[in-house]
Amino acid sequence: MTAVVERVRGAAERAIFLRVAGPDATATRARIHETPGPRWFDPGSPVQRVHGDASMFVGGLRALLLQSLHPLAMAGVAAHSGYRGDPWGRLQCTSTFIAVTTFGTADDAERAVGAVRAVHERVRGVAPDGRPYRAGDPDLLRWVHVAETQSFLAAHQTFGRDPLDARGCDEYVAQAAVVGRALGVTDAPRTVRELDEAIEGYRPALALTPAALDAARFLLVEAPLPRAVRPAYAGLAIAARQPLPAWARAGMPRVRGVPARWSRPAGVAVTRGSRSRGCCGGRSRRDERGPAPDQGASRRWR
């Protein structure tokens, strides 16, 4: 019976991974890691340790929940992202962008940033409260950046295989800022203290709007998944929701069938299972052998 349960859980975790990373995840990972050339970040650097760990599944979901609380950011997502019609496609694009900028060549990273900035230029409109928004607004870019940076780091420190020490956490924030600045973020935090202060500084602008509540319900309760996959996803969802600050999760729907007190063991189980089954894209065979040629060359953005 235990073997059967493990097989079912493994299949569920693999199904979630394929939805987030895409059906061509293995080929994409090989291309990103094995293409020779200089990188923005050194092998084994904090940003690679965080972004290459299975805890990113939890961190990514936490980031989406937190980001949705900015009314203007959420208005742009609701009007332009198509997250309800193709949620997995949007996540696949995001996960590929993170992988390319973290592990790919500098040329590929620059192309990925350029593509995102071009999309941002086209995303603009008017929020339900009458305020205009545009995705390229440096203040909105900064909110998205600090929300995801804090979320990725928090998930890694809780569920990551190899948590960072205090110095490593500050270095991670500084390295994440490299990508943020490339995308147009101004005044990107460079330490954990600055990061937490930035999040706190946005609190007066945040609210659980109807659009944010709809997104939270979709992410936590109504994600389009086969029945067999839902228990594993519920573990992922509770692990992402519960560690949010109390002010951030207030009013968000609860994850069905999983008590809040199970958030940590559920997150440990999901990330450990995903990691053991190879369901995380941070390391490749080349990483184990050493860097690709010229990977340690000078980096334009550093």
Side-chain angles (χ1 to χ4, degrees):
M1 179 61 71
T2 301
V4 172
V5 171
E6 280 297 308
R7 283 198 298 271
V8 171
R9 189 173 72 176
E13 290 163 352
R14 185 68 180 173
I16 293 172
F17 167 73
L18 290 174
R19 281 166 171 80
V20 173
D24 299 323
T26 300
T28 300
R29 177 168 55 188
R31 177 182 59 79
I32 291 170
H33 284 264
E34 298 181 13
T35 300
R39 265 71 176 164
W40 283 1
F41 306 107
D42 292 323
S45 59
V47 71
Q48 290 199 355
R49 285 168 60 184
V50 173
H51 292 178
D53 192 85
S55 59
M56 283 290 285
F57 289 110
V58 177
L61 186 53
R62 182 191 190 275
L64 292 175
L65 292 169
L66 187 56
Q67 289 167 347
S68 73
L69 296 178
H70 196 300
L72 298 185
M74 188 62 232
V77 169
H80 298 274
S81 76
Y83 76 91
R84 276 195 169 273
D86 184 22
W88 307 120
R90 179 171 180 259
L91 284 175
Q92 288 160 23
C93 290
T94 301
S95 66
T96 299
F97 175 82
I98 292 170
V100 169
T101 53
T102 304
F103 300 99
T105 66
D107 287 343
D108 284 345
E110 289 172 18
R111 279 191 287 270
V113 166
V116 170
R117 294 193 70 151
V119 171
H120 285 171
E121 285 302 311
R122 300 193 297 269
V123 175
R124 57 187 65 213
V126 179
D129 62 10
R131 289 182 293 167
Y133 66 83
R134 58 184 182 89
D137 178 351
D139 188 60
L140 283 186
L141 289 173
R142 185 171 183 263
W143 164 248
V144 171
H145 171 74
V146 298
E148 73 176 21
T149 300
Q150 187 195 64
S151 295
F152 295 164
L153 182 58
H156 184 79
Q157 294 303 97
T158 303
F159 302 114
R161 176 172 52 189
D162 186 20
L164 304 172
D165 59 17
R167 182 176 179 180
C169 289
D170 281 343
E171 188 173 354
Y172 169 74
V173 176
Q175 290 179 329
V178 171
V179 182
R181 289 194 299 272
L183 285 169
V185 175
T186 57
D187 194 25
R190 295 182 57 86
T191 67
V192 172
R193 180 176 178 177
E194 290 178 0
L195 178 64
D196 292 342
E197 289 174 350
I199 294 287
E200 190 66 20
Y202 276 99
R203 281 191 62 182
L206 306 180
L208 186 67
T209 62
L213 181 59
D214 185 62
R217 186 180 299 111
F218 181 79
L219 292 169
L220 297 174
V221 181
E222 301 172 354
L225 289 164
R227 186 178 299 274
V229 178
R230 291 175 190 170
Y233 185 82
L236 175 65
I238 194 67
R241 179 194 185 279
Q242 201 57 29
L244 284 167
W247 57 262
R249 66 175 186 270
M252 286 185 180
R254 298 182 181 274
V255 179
R256 293 173 182 166
V258 186
R261 66 179 182 277
W262 289 6
S263 63
R264 187 179 181 91
V268 169
V270 170
T271 53
R272 183 180 295 163
S274 299
R275 193 178 295 121
S276 67
R277 294 177 177 88
C279 296
C280 50
R283 296 188 64 83
S284 68
R285 291 186 182 90
R286 181 174 293 281
D287 292 318
E288 295 167 2
R289 296 195 303 267
D294 299 326
Q295 187 162 332
S298 62
R299 293 154 184 81
R300 183 173 304 175
W301 292 100
R302 300 187 71 186

